[in-house]
Amino acid sequence: MIRGRFAPTPSGHMHLGNAKIALLSWLQVRAADGEFILRIEDIDLQRSKPSITEGILQDLQWLGLGWDEGPETIGAYGPYLQSQRLEKYEEALQTLQRAGRLYPCFCSRADLLGVAGAPHGLSSEGAVYNGTCRNLTREEQQAKSQLKNPSTRFGLQAEAFTFVDGIAGVQVFQPGSGGDFVVKRADGMYSYQLAVTVDDAAMGITHVLRGDDLLDSTPRQLALYKALGLQPPQFAHAPLILGEDGHRLAKRHGDLGLAALRKAGTRPETVIGWLAYISGLIDRPEKTAAVDLVQGFQLDHISKTPFVLSESMIRQLLPH
Ligand code: GLU
């Protein structure tokens, strides 16, 4: 039985880009008669809002993308809100600590920004860490911790990570790529990388389908799976929807929130048909229900090209 998930961060309303990912991961699971899990990634309580979570649930229902387990479910794999799973992240952190894989990092934001100009380059999470704090002695660590709270970094080993992405194909990441990364911030918040790995493993997720902005997070997560002795899922990364400026879809590209479309009178079948069309699943953007796409769905039908959303496309989605 395959288990897939949609794992939105409730810091912003659902837009067409999120909806595309939700649709594709839902189809992957439904086509294999598997279980679809909805996990709310509200670990950053400052940025997450319960009203947005509520809106995401409504948008998914409206689109016809139902889930088998989610925030309202009480069950073996729950709770399904990251804010209620903190002790699981702490446990994993302790395991990594015992294995000698963590170190305190005292670098300031300014130190890290300075690193951006260094030869280590950039990853999707910003500057690649150059390892300044990796080899501090215990005395140095103690002296520095008098002055500030450290963050906690995971130290990569000299190993390459290779995997076959269900959409993007073979991926090879050289040893150390992305650099040592933060698993717990100085303010005590666990990182996305740690939380997502712990949760996908604990929730028995076998298939992860998500946006390709997270492709370069995957080797980090594979390193965590390995260090924690956990079995990684199969990954598939789908191209995002971009705005006309080439950046991923955001509020500045006009109000493409699903709630706004719904309010304007757009039908869910119009949105699903259009998402299926731009994903390469159907030949024309005709009205379609999500269930009607299940039969015959295959990952290799998904278009590998990011779709650029123009103003005229937006107009097509609004009722005439
Ligand atoms: N919570 C992440 C987001 O909304 C997705 C995490 C994942 O799918 O691994 O971008």
Side-chain angles (χ1 to χ4, degrees):
M1 163 81 75
I2 86 161
R3 285 171 64 84
R5 51 45 161 206
F6 179 55
T9 302
S11 57
H13 293 285
M14 279 266 287
H15 55 63
L16 291 167
N18 314 127
K20 174 183 167 182
I21 299 302
L23 171 65
L24 295 178
S25 62
W26 184 88
L27 285 172
Q28 182 186 31
V29 169
R30 291 289 176 250
D33 228 351
E35 289 166 342
F36 190 61
I37 286 89
L38 174 61
R39 181 175 68 235
I40 303 298
E41 302 212 319
D42 61 348
I43 195 166
D44 186 346
L45 282 175
Q46 307 250 290
R47 291 178 57 223
S48 303
K49 296 200 191 72
S51 61
I52 297 184
T53 299
E54 198 43 52
I56 292 172
L57 306 192
Q58 284 169 10
D59 290 339
L60 290 170
Q61 301 275 20
W62 181 69
L63 290 172
L65 307 177
W67 52 93
D68 303 299
E69 295 161 35
E72 71 292 350
T73 318
I74 306 193
Y77 293 104
Y80 297 87
L81 276 87
Q82 287 194 327
S83 57
Q84 296 176 8
R85 302 177 61 79
L86 302 187
E87 74 278 11
K88 296 190 190 327
Y89 311 140
E90 187 55 38
E91 237 172 74
L93 209 69
Q94 297 305 326
T95 306
L96 296 172
Q97 184 73 45
R98 281 195 299 275
R101 297 300 299 272
L102 305 181
Y103 61 88
C105 174
F106 301 90
C107 291
S108 65
R109 198 172 282 268
D111 292 336
L112 298 176
L113 285 175
V115 166
H120 298 270
L122 290 166
S123 78
S124 60
E125 285 187 17
V128 172
Y129 187 57
N130 67 354
T132 306
C133 292
R134 186 165 173 150
N135 297 312
L136 295 180
T137 63
R138 198 159 288 270
E139 290 70 39
E140 287 169 325
Q141 288 176 349
Q142 264 157 11
K144 282 179 182 277
S145 56
Q146 304 293 319
L147 301 173
K148 73 182 285 200
N149 267 343
S151 61
T152 307
R153 276 187 198 269
F154 178 79
L156 292 175
Q157 291 175 339
E159 55 189 342
F161 285 96
T162 304
F163 65 96
V164 182
D165 189 278
I167 299 170
V170 176
Q171 304 293 314
V172 179
F173 290 90
Q174 296 309 322
S177 65
D180 292 351
F181 56 91
V182 172
V183 284
K184 192 177 187 184
R185 295 191 337 199
D187 65 4
M189 198 177 99
Y190 301 97
S191 75
Y192 156 70
Q193 307 291 356
L194 182 77
V196 80
T197 303
V198 168
D199 287 348
D200 282 337
M203 293 181 180
I205 301 299
T206 59
H207 290 70
V208 167
L209 189 156
R210 60 187 175 194
D212 64 5
D213 54 329
L214 291 168
L215 187 55
D216 74 358
S217 281
T218 306
R220 297 171 171 198
Q221 292 166 23
L222 288 172
L224 287 175
Y225 278 101
K226 191 159 178 209
L228 290 166
L230 300 168
Q231 175 71 29
Q234 288 182 35
F235 290 98
H237 291 86
L240 298 177
I241 300 180
L242 306 178
E244 277 182 295
D245 56 3
H247 289 289
R248 81 170 121 145
L249 213 56
K251 260 247 176 303
R252 67 177 177 282
H253 299 115
D255 201 355
L256 296 164
L258 291 190
L261 288 174
R262 182 168 64 201
K263 217 164 146 201
T266 302
R267 299 292 311 148
E269 302 80 32
T270 305
V271 177
I272 293 285
W274 185 84
L275 290 172
Y277 168 66
I278 65 155
S279 301
L281 304 180
I282 55 178
D283 297 333
R284 284 185 303 122
E286 58 201 1
K287 289 193 172 80
T288 313
V291 282
D292 293 334
L293 295 164
V294 170
Q295 185 137 32
F297 172 80
Q298 281 180 8
L299 283 188
D300 53 14
H301 293 164
I302 297 175
S303 161
K304 296 181 179 40
T305 330
F307 184 83
V308 178
L309 183 65
S310 63
E311 288 288 333
S312 60
M313 281 281 174
I314 298 172
R315 278 194 296 277
Q316 279 180 30
L317 283 167
L318 294 167
H320 305 294

